[in-house]
Amino acid sequence: MKISTLSLSVLAGLVLTAAPALAQDAAMVEVAESEQYGQYLTDSEGRALYLFTADTQGQDGTEPQVSCTGECLDAWPPYYTQGQPQAGNMADASLLGTVDHEGQMMVTYNGWPLYYFVRDEGAGDTNGQHVESFGGEWYLVSPEGERVEE
């Protein structure tokens, strides 16, 4: 079978353009560490991720339930993904999942929906740890998928 140089160039171009798009679409969950809280989950940019105790943890075949709505979502934006979330540095891929939230895929870890906190300005900020608001408490998430205790 003869394959033209043009066909190979087109095929190579498709592979090269598709690969970065897939990587950019999938949310990455990694693990960071602080002196105060120990290890906790972050996104690929080092921004802390939180769980909400008013949510229902998905486990034993049950779907996670998101309780944060309205103004709560303004303060605690969900961590969404366009593809299957990926486990990065020290995160456990078997604990990753998603739940449908308002027509988007929200990342879950050990069945807990994951959120950001708007008062965290960048990597290493953990201002949302053990905050009580919107009918529950907010905690950093450990690599084991449990809330980080102080």
Side-chain angles (χ1 to χ4, degrees):
M1 176 162 84
K2 184 176 179 183
I3 299 176
S4 72
T5 305
L6 179 60
S7 297
L8 287 175
S9 296
V10 170
L11 181 59
L14 289 173
V15 170
L16 291 174
T17 56
L22 292 174
Q24 290 171 353
D25 290 345
M28 180 70 69
V29 175
E30 298 187 355
V31 176
E33 190 165 356
S34 76
E35 282 188 32
Q36 186 172 9
Y37 301 120
Q39 294 183 329
Y40 62 93
L41 299 183
T42 70
D43 68 6
S44 62
E45 296 176 3
R47 294 185 59 209
L49 297 169
Y50 299 89
L51 65 78
F52 183 37
T53 60
D55 285 346
T56 302
Q57 181 184 16
Q59 56 189 149
D60 301 325
T62 63
E63 282 285 312
Q65 299 296 314
V66 176
S67 299
C68 185
T69 60
E71 289 180 12
C72 177
L73 293 173
D74 293 335
W76 300 92
Y79 186 32
Y80 290 123
T81 185
Q82 295 295 317
Q84 185 61 34
Q86 303 296 307
N89 177 37
M90 298 186 294
D92 185 342
S94 71
L95 297 179
L96 281 169
T98 60
V99 63
D100 179 64
H101 180 255
E102 297 181 351
Q104 297 185 65
M105 289 190 333
M106 188 173 178
V107 178
T108 64
Y109 195 84
N110 193 30
W112 288 107
L114 299 178
Y115 302 84
Y116 292 109
F117 184 46
V118 295
R119 293 192 180 154
D120 287 346
E121 295 181 11
D125 287 352
T126 55
N127 298 312
Q129 172 65 359
H130 202 178
V131 169
E132 292 183 40
S133 67
F134 299 102
E137 296 177 357
W138 299 85
Y139 291 96
L140 294 165
V141 184
S142 74
E144 295 76 34
E146 302 300 328
R147 68 186 192 188
V148 171
E149 298 293 336
E150 295 187 47

